[in-house]
mmCIF file of all heavy atoms in Angstrom:
data_model
loop_
_atom_site.group_PDB
_atom_site.id
_atom_site.type_symbol
_atom_site.label_atom_id
_atom_site.label_comp_id
_atom_site.label_asym_id
_atom_site.label_seq_id
_atom_site.Cartn_x
_atom_site.Cartn_y
_atom_site.Cartn_z
ATOM 1 N N ALA U 26 0.848 -1.190 0.000
ATOM 2 C CA ALA U 26 0.000 0.000 0.000
ATOM 3 C C ALA U 26 0.884 1.241 0.000
ATOM 4 O O ALA U 26 1.852 1.317 0.752
ATOM 5 C CB ALA U 26 -0.907 0.001 1.226
ATOM 6 N N VAL U 27 0.517 2.203 -0.852
ATOM 7 C CA VAL U 27 1.255 3.459 -0.952
ATOM 8 C C VAL U 27 0.303 4.590 -0.573
ATOM 9 O O VAL U 27 -0.790 4.700 -1.123
ATOM 10 C CB VAL U 27 1.784 3.684 -2.390
ATOM 11 C CG1 VAL U 27 2.513 5.016 -2.496
ATOM 12 C CG2 VAL U 27 2.693 2.533 -2.814
ATOM 13 N N ALA U 28 0.713 5.429 0.377
ATOM 14 C CA ALA U 28 -0.102 6.568 0.807
ATOM 15 C C ALA U 28 0.594 7.863 0.412
ATOM 16 O O ALA U 28 1.795 8.026 0.608
ATOM 17 C CB ALA U 28 -0.307 6.534 2.322
ATOM 18 N N PHE U 29 -0.212 8.775 -0.160
ATOM 19 C CA PHE U 29 0.285 10.082 -0.568
ATOM 20 C C PHE U 29 -0.143 11.132 0.447
ATOM 21 O O PHE U 29 -1.152 10.960 1.139
ATOM 22 C CB PHE U 29 -0.252 10.435 -1.961
ATOM 23 C CG PHE U 29 0.298 9.555 -3.045
ATOM 24 C CD1 PHE U 29 -0.307 8.346 -3.363
ATOM 25 C CD2 PHE U 29 1.430 9.919 -3.744
ATOM 26 C CE1 PHE U 29 0.204 7.522 -4.351
ATOM 27 C CE2 PHE U 29 1.952 9.110 -4.740
ATOM 28 C CZ PHE U 29 1.336 7.905 -5.039
ATOM 29 N N PRO U 30 0.577 12.256 0.550
ATOM 30 C CA PRO U 30 0.241 13.296 1.522
ATOM 31 C C PRO U 30 -1.177 13.856 1.369
ATOM 32 O O PRO U 30 -1.777 14.295 2.349
ATOM 33 C CB PRO U 30 1.283 14.390 1.262
ATOM 34 C CG PRO U 30 2.429 13.688 0.631
ATOM 35 C CD PRO U 30 1.816 12.569 -0.175
ATOM 36 N N ASN U 31 -1.747 13.825 0.160
ATOM 37 C CA ASN U 31 -3.087 14.377 -0.061
ATOM 38 C C ASN U 31 -4.191 13.389 0.309
ATOM 39 O O ASN U 31 -5.371 13.666 0.117
ATOM 40 C CB ASN U 31 -3.255 14.811 -1.519
ATOM 41 C CG ASN U 31 -3.185 13.652 -2.490
ATOM 42 O OD1 ASN U 31 -3.006 12.499 -2.098
ATOM 43 N ND2 ASN U 31 -3.312 13.951 -3.769
ATOM 44 N N GLY U 32 -3.824 12.220 0.835
ATOM 45 C CA GLY U 32 -4.804 11.229 1.251
ATOM 46 C C GLY U 32 -5.063 10.129 0.235
ATOM 47 O O GLY U 32 -5.726 9.149 0.541
ATOM 48 N N ASP U 33 -4.575 10.296 -1.004
ATOM 49 C CA ASP U 33 -4.747 9.251 -2.015
ATOM 50 C C ASP U 33 -4.014 7.991 -1.585
ATOM 51 O O ASP U 33 -2.956 8.049 -0.952
ATOM 52 C CB ASP U 33 -4.216 9.700 -3.375
ATOM 53 C CG ASP U 33 -5.123 10.708 -4.065
ATOM 54 O OD1 ASP U 33 -6.261 10.919 -3.583
ATOM 55 O OD2 ASP U 33 -4.693 11.276 -5.082
ATOM 56 N N GLN U 34 -4.590 6.854 -1.948
ATOM 57 C CA GLN U 34 -3.994 5.549 -1.677
ATOM 58 C C GLN U 34 -3.822 4.815 -2.997
ATOM 59 O O GLN U 34 -4.705 4.857 -3.855
ATOM 60 C CB GLN U 34 -4.908 4.719 -0.768
ATOM 61 C CG GLN U 34 -5.130 5.307 0.603
ATOM 62 C CD GLN U 34 -3.995 4.975 1.550
ATOM 63 O OE1 GLN U 34 -3.402 3.905 1.478
ATOM 64 N NE2 GLN U 34 -3.685 5.887 2.442
ATOM 65 N N GLU U 35 -2.708 4.140 -3.170
ATOM 66 C CA GLU U 35 -2.468 3.319 -4.349
ATOM 67 C C GLU U 35 -1.837 2.006 -3.917
ATOM 68 O O GLU U 35 -1.325 1.899 -2.805
ATOM 69 C CB GLU U 35 -1.573 4.044 -5.362
ATOM 70 C CG GLU U 35 -2.216 5.301 -5.915
ATOM 71 C CD GLU U 35 -1.498 5.878 -7.121
ATOM 72 O OE1 GLU U 35 -0.719 5.156 -7.774
ATOM 73 O OE2 GLU U 35 -1.739 7.061 -7.413
ATOM 74 N N GLU U 36 -1.919 1.028 -4.800
ATOM 75 C CA GLU U 36 -1.282 -0.270 -4.581
ATOM 76 C C GLU U 36 -0.156 -0.425 -5.585
ATOM 77 O O GLU U 36 -0.360 -0.222 -6.786
ATOM 78 C CB GLU U 36 -2.285 -1.412 -4.776
ATOM 79 C CG GLU U 36 -3.362 -1.495 -3.711
ATOM 80 C CD GLU U 36 -2.856 -2.005 -2.382
ATOM 81 O OE1 GLU U 36 -1.975 -2.886 -2.358
ATOM 82 O OE2 GLU U 36 -3.341 -1.499 -1.353
ATOM 83 N N VAL U 37 1.018 -0.764 -5.106
ATOM 84 C CA VAL U 37 2.133 -1.059 -5.985
ATOM 85 C C VAL U 37 2.275 -2.580 -6.024
ATOM 86 O O VAL U 37 2.221 -3.236 -4.991
ATOM 87 C CB VAL U 37 3.438 -0.357 -5.536
ATOM 88 C CG1 VAL U 37 3.906 -0.826 -4.182
ATOM 89 C CG2 VAL U 37 4.542 -0.534 -6.556
ATOM 90 N N THR U 38 2.372 -3.123 -7.240
ATOM 91 C CA THR U 38 2.548 -4.559 -7.410
ATOM 92 C C THR U 38 4.017 -4.842 -7.653
ATOM 93 O O THR U 38 4.651 -4.213 -8.495
ATOM 94 C CB THR U 38 1.711 -5.090 -8.594
ATOM 95 O OG1 THR U 38 0.338 -4.770 -8.356
ATOM 96 C CG2 THR U 38 1.863 -6.589 -8.746
ATOM 97 N N LEU U 39 4.542 -5.796 -6.902
ATOM 98 C CA LEU U 39 5.944 -6.181 -6.992
ATOM 99 C C LEU U 39 6.044 -7.630 -7.426
ATOM 100 O O LEU U 39 5.210 -8.451 -7.041
ATOM 101 C CB LEU U 39 6.621 -6.007 -5.632
ATOM 102 C CG LEU U 39 6.530 -4.591 -5.083
ATOM 103 C CD1 LEU U 39 6.630 -4.597 -3.589
ATOM 104 C CD2 LEU U 39 7.602 -3.743 -5.690
ATOM 105 N N LYS U 40 7.058 -7.944 -8.209
ATOM 106 C CA LYS U 40 7.294 -9.321 -8.644
ATOM 107 C C LYS U 40 8.643 -9.779 -8.120
ATOM 108 O O LYS U 40 9.651 -9.075 -8.273
ATOM 109 C CB LYS U 40 7.272 -9.418 -10.168
ATOM 110 C CG LYS U 40 7.468 -10.834 -10.664
ATOM 111 C CD LYS U 40 7.322 -10.914 -12.164
ATOM 112 C CE LYS U 40 7.457 -12.366 -12.622
ATOM 113 N NZ LYS U 40 7.264 -12.474 -14.066
ATOM 114 N N ILE U 41 8.649 -10.955 -7.515
ATOM 115 C CA ILE U 41 9.889 -11.564 -7.038
ATOM 116 C C ILE U 41 10.515 -12.268 -8.230
ATOM 117 O O ILE U 41 9.939 -13.193 -8.797
ATOM 118 C CB ILE U 41 9.617 -12.549 -5.888
ATOM 119 C CG1 ILE U 41 8.922 -11.822 -4.730
ATOM 120 C CG2 ILE U 41 10.920 -13.199 -5.423
ATOM 121 C CD1 ILE U 41 8.408 -12.729 -3.638
ATOM 122 N N ARG U 42 11.683 -11.803 -8.630
ATOM 123 C CA ARG U 42 12.296 -12.294 -9.864
ATOM 124 C C ARG U 42 13.058 -13.598 -9.695
ATOM 125 O O ARG U 42 13.182 -14.365 -10.644
ATOM 126 C CB ARG U 42 13.206 -11.231 -10.464
ATOM 127 C CG ARG U 42 12.413 -9.981 -10.881
ATOM 128 C CD ARG U 42 13.244 -8.965 -11.586
ATOM 129 N NE ARG U 42 14.358 -8.542 -10.747
ATOM 130 C CZ ARG U 42 15.524 -8.117 -11.198
ATOM 131 N NH1 ARG U 42 15.746 -8.054 -12.485
ATOM 132 N NH2 ARG U 42 16.470 -7.728 -10.379
ATOM 133 N N ASN U 43 13.603 -13.836 -8.487
ATOM 134 C CA ASN U 43 14.395 -15.048 -8.298
ATOM 135 C C ASN U 43 14.502 -15.386 -6.813
ATOM 136 O O ASN U 43 13.997 -14.653 -5.960
ATOM 137 C CB ASN U 43 15.784 -14.881 -8.927
ATOM 138 C CG ASN U 43 16.502 -13.656 -8.404
ATOM 139 O OD1 ASN U 43 16.457 -13.345 -7.221
ATOM 140 N ND2 ASN U 43 17.177 -12.938 -9.294
ATOM 141 N N SER U 44 15.178 -16.479 -6.508
ATOM 142 C CA SER U 44 15.305 -16.934 -5.118
ATOM 143 C C SER U 44 16.231 -16.053 -4.285
ATOM 144 O O SER U 44 16.313 -16.225 -3.074
ATOM 145 C CB SER U 44 15.787 -18.381 -5.081
ATOM 146 O OG SER U 44 17.057 -18.490 -5.700
ATOM 147 N N ASP U 45 16.921 -15.108 -4.930
ATOM 148 C CA ASP U 45 17.772 -14.154 -4.200
ATOM 149 C C ASP U 45 16.975 -12.950 -3.707
ATOM 150 O O ASP U 45 17.543 -12.007 -3.174
ATOM 151 C CB ASP U 45 18.917 -13.667 -5.087
ATOM 152 C CG ASP U 45 19.910 -14.768 -5.395
ATOM 153 O OD1 ASP U 45 20.085 -15.679 -4.566
ATOM 154 O OD2 ASP U 45 20.515 -14.717 -6.484
ATOM 155 N N ALA U 46 15.658 -12.958 -3.917
ATOM 156 C CA ALA U 46 14.744 -11.893 -3.489
ATOM 157 C C ALA U 46 14.927 -10.603 -4.285
ATOM 158 O O ALA U 46 14.673 -9.524 -3.774
ATOM 159 C CB ALA U 46 14.855 -11.622 -1.990
ATOM 160 N N ASP U 47 15.371 -10.723 -5.534
ATOM 161 C CA ASP U 47 15.399 -9.555 -6.412
ATOM 162 C C ASP U 47 13.962 -9.248 -6.797
ATOM 163 O O ASP U 47 13.224 -10.140 -7.233
ATOM 164 C CB ASP U 47 16.236 -9.821 -7.665
ATOM 165 C CG ASP U 47 17.714 -9.980 -7.360
ATOM 166 O OD1 ASP U 47 18.186 -9.370 -6.381
ATOM 167 O OD2 ASP U 47 18.386 -10.712 -8.100
ATOM 168 N N ILE U 48 13.556 -7.993 -6.632
ATOM 169 C CA ILE U 48 12.161 -7.597 -6.831
ATOM 170 C C ILE U 48 12.091 -6.428 -7.797
ATOM 171 O O ILE U 48 12.936 -5.540 -7.771
ATOM 172 C CB ILE U 48 11.531 -7.185 -5.484
ATOM 173 C CG1 ILE U 48 11.549 -8.361 -4.527
ATOM 174 C CG2 ILE U 48 10.117 -6.664 -5.664
ATOM 175 C CD1 ILE U 48 11.129 -8.014 -3.135
ATOM 176 N N SER U 49 11.053 -6.430 -8.623
ATOM 177 C CA SER U 49 10.801 -5.326 -9.551
ATOM 178 C C SER U 49 9.383 -4.819 -9.356
ATOM 179 O O SER U 49 8.471 -5.604 -9.093
ATOM 180 C CB SER U 49 10.953 -5.779 -11.003
ATOM 181 O OG SER U 49 12.269 -6.165 -11.274
ATOM 182 N N ILE U 50 9.197 -3.501 -9.509
ATOM 183 C CA ILE U 50 7.855 -2.922 -9.526
ATOM 184 C C ILE U 50 7.261 -3.213 -10.893
ATOM 185 O O ILE U 50 7.874 -2.909 -11.915
ATOM 186 C CB ILE U 50 7.889 -1.400 -9.270
ATOM 187 C CG1 ILE U 50 8.321 -1.115 -7.837
ATOM 188 C CG2 ILE U 50 6.515 -0.781 -9.547
ATOM 189 C CD1 ILE U 50 8.456 0.361 -7.503
ATOM 190 N N VAL U 51 6.070 -3.817 -10.907
ATOM 191 C CA VAL U 51 5.427 -4.135 -12.183
ATOM 192 C C VAL U 51 4.128 -3.366 -12.387
ATOM 193 O O VAL U 51 3.539 -3.428 -13.460
ATOM 194 C CB VAL U 51 5.171 -5.654 -12.339
ATOM 195 C CG1 VAL U 51 6.499 -6.393 -12.409
ATOM 196 C CG2 VAL U 51 4.309 -6.207 -11.224
ATOM 197 N N GLY U 52 3.682 -2.626 -11.381
ATOM 198 C CA GLY U 52 2.463 -1.853 -11.553
ATOM 199 C C GLY U 52 2.153 -0.956 -10.364
ATOM 200 O O GLY U 52 2.605 -1.217 -9.259
#
């Protein structure tokens, strides 16, 4: 969950790329 100072809320989707816990934002 991502919260902005103006009260807006968004969801960031993350993908685990490998067993080393490398992660990328996908949305």
Side-chain angles (χ1 to χ4, degrees):
V27 178
F29 293 87
N31 65 0
D33 286 350
Q34 297 278 326
E35 296 192 19
E36 291 287 324
V37 63
T38 302
L39 302 155
K40 182 175 183 178
I41 302 171
R42 296 185 302 151
N43 55 41
S44 61
D45 292 330
D47 292 330
I48 299 172
S49 296
I50 292 177
V51 295

